[in-house]
Amino acid sequence: MVGSRYDQPVLDVSEVDGAPIDFERSPVPRALAGETVRDHPVRVKVEGRDAPLFLCLSASPLRDDHGDVCGAVVTAHDITGQHLAEDQLKQSQSRLNAVLNNTTMAVFVMDERQHCIYANTAAELLTGYRFDEMQGRPLHDVVHHTRPDGSHFPLEECPIDRAFPEDNQVQGEEMFVHADGSFYPVAFTASPIRDDASRTVGTIIEVRNIKEEQGRRRALEILSHTAAAVAGEHDLDRLVQTVVDAGVEISGAAFGAFFYNVLDEAGARYTLYTLSGAPRSAFEQYPMPRATAVFHPTFTGEGVVLADDILRDPRYGQNEPYNGMPDGHLPVRSYLAVPVKSRSGEVLGGLFFGHQDPGIFTSEHADRVQSLANQAAVAIDNARLFQANQRELEQRSRAEAGLRELNSELERRVADEVAERTRAEEALRQAQKMEAIGQLTGGVAHDFNNLLTVIMGGLEIVRRSDSLDARGRRSADLAWQGAQRAATLTSRLLAFSRRQALQPKPLDLNVVVRDLTDLLHRTLGEQIELEGVLAPRLWRVEADPGQFESALVNLAVNARDAMPSGGKLTIETSNASLDDAYQAVDAEVVPGQYVMVCVSDTGCGIDRDTLTRVFEPFFTTKEVGKGTGLGLSMVYGFVKQSGGHVTIYSEPGEGTTVKMYFPRYYGDLTAEQENPVDRMIPEAVSGEVIILVEDNEDVRAYSSSVLRELGYEVLEAADCEAGLALVKSAPRVDLLFTDVVLPGRSGRELADAASAARPNLRVLFTTGYSRNAIIHQGRLDPGVHLLPKPFTFEQLACRVRDILDRP
């Protein structure tokens, strides 16, 4: 590297940064002077090579035998690769700093001791501290050491600091302390930093100020709460006070007011209605505002007035006698005013908000207050309508009783619009679901009940045979039980869809519950305590006793299954009145008097997601083979079809309560003649003729064989037209036994035409699903006799004989 003379370099050598070498401070002269020099980097430009080399020189003095310096030993090693890597790292760090210092997200980097080793520009702006003031300190000690109440915030409780020891990302919201001592909310994400060996060596913390975001969230909450509060409020004082209080909060105003728009003979004057943030006396000493340039846009409904500083607004101070705010007036610099306009376009008044400092209100605040004004307009309209209706009701209530119902209807229209829409949508969804299930159930029930009629009929014939051995009789009995369970499932599905034919009777439900006590004890077993709390002087209801008993037993079975280790089941009855407010729970509720039957248990309870589905058919949480999912759906359908309502309340671990409401019955209880438990199967009287109309060939064959075995003469037809022809042509017809659902015209149409041809003709219908032909609102049409499918030999024999023996 050096020629014959050291001071004449052969190569172009310079400092690493390209600056000329200070020869006196270079390694060789210093070594010749007796100094040992280590690791001195230099830049070397080599001829024929575009890129320079970077060398690290070390030099030490060479001494003779007398210890005098007689030369120098120089060593060099190539550090070009290391230098280039360091240079690339610097460039990468420079680019990273450029990105981080231009982002709005505050970024902090902590080392393995959780001391700050980096903070970008946004972090300095967020905290109010320079980086050198935070460097080497725990971030918690700088910005998170105190709670808003002034108490100390221990580091061990800091959620941000957990990211490093737990080696896991942590997110959340906290309150930071600014350098000026003020508190501000932030959202943070703290993530561990890992080296190439996956060891955690630090933490990177991203932070953003969420004060404005929380303000928006809070404003939305206030607007939503206010909408619900004022929608059904009829008192104008409370209504407007609620609106003004909400406006002060969502706008950040120091005070606010609502001026009610009143026109008199002298022109427009405005009555102060309510205040928030200031006493009423602050305005009472001054005359009401007039339609000046500042107030005119608000009271005429032209639009929003937003001023950063009303004192600098060109419209301000242009009117006598004050030319601005009078002495002693509340200090107003920031000003926001929004008109309140009714649906008809009438300006009801104005919302006014002020603050003693300028620049407080923004266009976002104006939009929030505009939304509030819209809510206020609707609520005031409704309240005025309500008050007008009240006055009219008071004037006419004694003389015109009919107007009471009309005014009551008008009052209901003032109900919460949001809740009303929710109820309507829920009712529509429920009706659509019920209709869809009803349609599905109808098709399944019709075909399935036809099959069950044939199956059960055949099994009954087999069981009545004397030739069966014990094994055959056991098999027939098992098949009969299975067919009965299938019929029960179909009946429950029809009950849920409200398509079954109920046989309602006036009932005292206390008596029904007492009569079921023994059965319920056997059903529940010894581990479960049964308690009855029966109200005295219980009102009567009109319901199907058999279906009510089935509903109660279903609820008891569900309660038993929810208490495998034992518990308590309570059945309670009481009189109840349901008003309009209950419609928020069930949109189908008709206000009035009801009898409530409450079944509650101390079982495991039901979670919220499952609770929303318990009344759906085939939905069950039980193991396969232990539940059909139709028990509660049958209860729901039966209660609804009886004109009542059903609710369920439950929490995991707290048990379940089901309440059934049945409309009060105002008629008299009538004693009914009970049929003997055992009676002979009745047979035909000589010569009696029955026309059988059934489109299903198997059901028709079974029915005709039973009737002929009973001694009746049977004429068969597969459709309405053929059956009507037999009615008209047969010399004698004692009974028309017809399916309701037939191809072409229905069995009801056949019966009407047959009755026209033979006025005294008796008719018995049968069906697995009526399609509302003979059943409306869960009850048979007057004068209609029905034998539901599937029916047995005995049921058919008794029902036919019963119809023929009637006067």
Side-chain angles (χ1 to χ4, degrees):
M1 293 181 59
V2 250
S4 58
R5 293 183 61 185
Y6 183 76
D7 58 349
Q8 295 178 350
V10 176
L11 302 179
D12 182 7
V13 181
S14 62
E15 296 290 354
V16 173
D17 59 2
I21 289 181
D22 181 358
F23 185 75
E24 296 299 328
R25 297 302 303 162
S26 62
V28 175
R30 290 166 63 188
L32 292 175
E35 180 183 354
T36 299
V37 181
R38 300 181 186 280
D39 300 331
H40 183 89
V42 295
R43 181 177 182 274
V44 180
K45 186 75 172 70
V46 181
E47 283 186 40
R49 179 184 174 95
D50 293 334
L53 295 175
F54 294 88
L55 303 177
C56 186
L57 303 180
S58 296
S60 59
L62 182 64
R63 301 180 185 275
D64 59 14
D65 295 339
H66 301 287
D68 299 323
V69 177
C70 61
V73 178
V74 181
T75 60
H77 64 271
D78 190 348
I79 61 170
T80 303
Q82 176 184 344
H83 176 80
L84 293 177
E86 291 175 351
D87 187 57
Q88 290 175 353
L89 178 60
K90 290 179 181 178
Q91 294 180 17
S92 175
Q93 289 176 334
S94 177
R95 288 192 296 269
L96 179 60
N97 287 335
V99 171
L100 292 176
N101 286 326
N102 284 280
T103 181
T104 58
M105 178 73 75
V107 179
F108 306 86
V109 179
M110 306 289 119
D111 61 14
E112 68 279 359
R113 298 174 302 162
Q114 292 299 283
H115 289 178
C116 182
I117 59 174
Y118 176 81
N120 67 351
T121 303
E124 294 179 327
L125 294 174
L126 176 73
T127 63
Y129 293 97
R130 300 187 311 275
F131 169 58
D132 59 0
E133 295 176 295
M134 295 183 280
Q135 188 174 16
R137 299 173 61 190
L139 184 63
H140 182 83
D141 292 349
V142 180
V143 296
H144 203 210
H145 48 77
T146 305
R147 293 190 172 95
D149 61 4
S151 62
H152 176 64
F153 197 149
L155 175 63
E156 55 270 17
E157 296 180 14
C158 177
I160 304 176
D161 195 61
R162 290 204 301 267
F164 183 83
E166 295 180 3
D167 193 22
N168 192 24
Q169 186 181 79
V170 179
Q171 295 179 325
E173 296 182 359
E174 288 292 325
M175 293 293 292
F176 275 10
V177 186
H178 195 268
D180 62 10
S182 62
F183 290 88
Y184 56 97
V186 299
F188 71 88
T189 300
S191 307
I193 301 174
R194 300 181 179 89
D195 61 12
D196 294 339
S198 297
R199 293 173 299 185
T200 303
V201 296
T203 310
I204 182 169
I205 304 171
E206 304 164 72
V207 182
R208 60 186 174 88
N209 192 320
I210 59 172
K211 182 177 180 180
E212 292 185 0
E213 181 180 323
Q214 285 187 343
R216 293 189 187 96
R217 288 204 303 259
R218 177 59 181 160
L220 288 175
E221 291 173 0
I222 293 171
L223 287 172
S224 177
H225 175 76
T226 303
V230 303
E233 181 59 73
H234 301 149
D235 187 296
L236 280 174
D237 289 334
R238 289 197 298 265
L239 188 157
V240 176
Q241 186 67 60
T242 300
V243 170
V244 177
D245 290 344
V248 168
E249 191 165 356
I250 65 175
S251 66
F255 42 81
F258 177 81
F259 285 89
Y260 203 84
N261 202 354
V262 178
L263 298 178
D264 57 20
E265 295 178 357
R269 289 190 176 274
Y270 309 97
T271 302
L272 175 64
Y273 211 82
T274 191
L275 278 170
S276 183
R280 195 176 184 88
S281 58
F283 283 91
E284 285 180 334
Q285 58 183 313
Y286 306 110
M288 288 298 104
R290 297 163 296 151
T292 62
V294 172
F295 294 128
H296 183 270
T298 306
F299 287 125
T300 57
E302 292 179 5
V304 176
V305 177
L306 174 63
D308 286 339
D309 189 347
I310 193 63
L311 302 185
R312 297 179 180 275
D313 192 287
R315 295 168 290 189
Y316 176 78
Q318 302 300 318
N319 298 92
E320 297 289 344
Y322 299 107
N323 293 318
M325 284 177 280
D327 293 338
H329 193 281
L330 286 172
V332 180
R333 299 293 296 277
S334 295
Y335 175 81
L336 174 60
V338 178
V340 178
K341 298 166 62 177
S342 71
R343 286 169 287 198
S344 64
E346 175 192 358
V347 179
L348 303 174
L351 288 167
F352 298 84
F353 301 96
H355 198 281
Q356 63 270 21
D357 297 327
I360 297 297
F361 304 133
T362 65
S363 59
E364 184 174 350
H365 293 129
D367 291 340
R368 295 175 186 173
V369 176
Q370 182 66 70
S371 297
L372 185 65
N374 294 339
Q375 294 177 1
V378 173
I380 291 173
D381 271 351
N382 290 342
R384 291 168 68 187
L385 176 61
F386 173 80
Q387 292 180 351
N389 291 337
Q390 284 294 95
R391 288 191 296 270
E392 183 177 356
L393 181 63
E394 290 171 2
Q395 294 170 358
R396 300 185 181 182
S397 59
R398 295 183 181 179
E400 302 178 20
L403 286 180
R404 291 194 184 95
E405 184 177 352
L406 174 60
N407 284 331
S408 177
E409 180 65 21
L410 289 175
E411 289 178 30
R412 285 194 288 271
R413 293 180 185 176
V414 187
D416 183 352
E417 294 182 5
V418 175
E420 182 178 352
R421 175 173 295 187
T422 301
R423 289 196 301 269
E425 290 176 352
E426 182 60 30
L428 177 60
R429 285 194 295 269
Q430 181 67 12
Q432 289 173 337
K433 182 174 73 173
M434 295 294 289
E435 180 62 24
I437 294 177
Q439 294 294 333
L440 172 65
T441 310
V444 172
H446 180 266
D447 294 339
F448 197 50
N449 281 330
N450 278 339
L451 294 173
L452 285 175
T453 300
V454 177
I455 292 170
M456 295 176 70
L459 287 172
E460 190 173 25
I461 292 172
V462 172
R463 295 172 71 224
R464 290 168 55 211
S465 174
D466 295 331
S467 60
L468 283 179
D469 57 14
R471 181 179 179 184
R473 185 165 300 280
R474 174 60 178 163
S475 298
D477 289 343
L478 290 174
W480 177 259
Q481 293 171 10
Q484 285 183 317
R485 284 196 293 270
T488 301
L489 288 178
T490 307
S491 175
R492 287 182 175 180
L493 198 57
L494 284 171
F496 171 75
S497 61
R498 310 183 218 178
R499 303 302 175 98
Q500 66 177 346
L502 298 180
Q503 298 179 358
K505 301 174 183 178
L507 296 176
D508 182 338
L509 294 185
N510 279 348
V511 174
V512 179
V513 172
R514 288 194 195 98
D515 291 344
L516 276 177
T517 301
D518 290 341
L519 174 60
L520 292 176
H521 274 300
R522 291 194 300 271
T523 301
L524 295 173
E526 296 180 355
Q527 286 186 302
I528 297 176
E529 176 187 355
L530 176 62
E531 179 183 16
V533 183
L534 306 182
R537 294 181 296 278
L538 190 69
W539 295 330
R540 306 299 191 247
V541 303
E542 188 177 30
D544 187 316
Q547 290 295 330
F548 175 78
E549 292 174 358
S550 295
L552 207 56
V553 171
N554 272 323
L555 294 177
V557 169
N558 282 343
R560 179 199 65 194
D561 294 343
M563 299 183 288
S565 300
K568 182 177 181 180
L569 175 70
T570 303
I571 301 176
E572 179 183 359
T573 63
S574 67
N575 298 324
S577 295
L578 302 183
D579 54 18
D580 293 338
Y582 194 83
Q583 290 182 326
V585 180
D586 188 340
E588 297 182 10
V589 166
V590 177
Q593 294 182 325
Y594 291 80
V595 172
M596 186 269 292
V597 179
C598 175
V599 180
S600 56
D601 63 60
T602 58
C604 57
I606 306 171
D607 62 75
R608 181 173 298 180
D609 292 338
T610 303
L611 198 64
T612 62
R613 301 188 59 195
V614 293
F615 289 130
E616 295 181 9
F618 302 114
F619 177 78
T620 180
T621 58
K622 299 177 183 178
E623 298 177 10
V624 175
K626 293 190 176 180
T628 63
L630 288 174
L632 281 177
S633 65
M634 183 279 286
V635 173
Y636 177 87
F638 160 64
V639 176
K640 286 290 185 180
Q641 194 173 355
S642 300
H645 313 284
V646 59
T647 60
I648 183 168
Y649 309 90
S650 186
E651 291 185 11
E654 299 297 329
T656 301
T657 297
V658 178
K659 293 183 178 180
M660 298 181 289
Y661 295 87
F662 297 92
R664 179 181 181 182
Y665 175 68
Y666 292 92
D668 296 328
L669 281 177
T670 57
E672 293 198 357
Q673 183 77 27
E674 293 191 358
N675 293 326
V677 176
D678 298 314
R679 65 178 182 179
M680 298 293 293
I681 295 178
E683 297 182 352
V685 178
S686 177
E688 288 179 318
V689 178
I690 296 177
I691 293 179
L692 170 63
V693 184
E694 169 63 61
D695 61 318
N696 186 287
E697 185 176 350
D698 294 333
V699 176
R700 189 170 67 249
Y702 166 70
S703 301
S704 64
S705 67
V706 171
L707 292 172
R708 288 191 175 96
E709 184 177 342
L710 293 169
Y712 297 101
E713 180 180 345
V714 181
L715 304 178
E716 300 180 32
D719 55 42
C720 177
E721 302 304 328
L724 186 57
L726 289 175
V727 169
K728 293 179 179 180
S729 62
R732 175 180 176 177
V733 179
D734 295 279
L735 176 69
L736 173 61
F737 181 38
T738 178
D739 192 2
V740 175
V741 181
L742 294 171
R745 292 198 289 174
S746 69
R748 180 56 187 263
E749 292 175 297
L750 168 60
D752 292 342
S755 296
R758 293 178 179 265
N760 296 321
L761 181 63
R762 293 174 172 83
V763 180
L764 175 61
F765 292 100
T766 185
T767 186
Y769 167 60
S770 69
R771 291 185 185 170
N772 293 329
I774 60 172
I775 299 174
H776 293 87
Q777 298 181 347
R779 304 179 183 223
L780 286 174
D781 293 343
V784 170
H785 305 290
L786 175 67
L787 176 61
K789 295 179 183 177
F791 50 79
T792 65
F793 185 101
E794 181 179 353
Q795 289 170 339
L796 177 57
C798 293
R799 194 69 174 125
V800 168
R801 191 69 261 160
D802 179 59
I803 299 301
L804 289 173
D805 290 343
R806 287 175 180 262

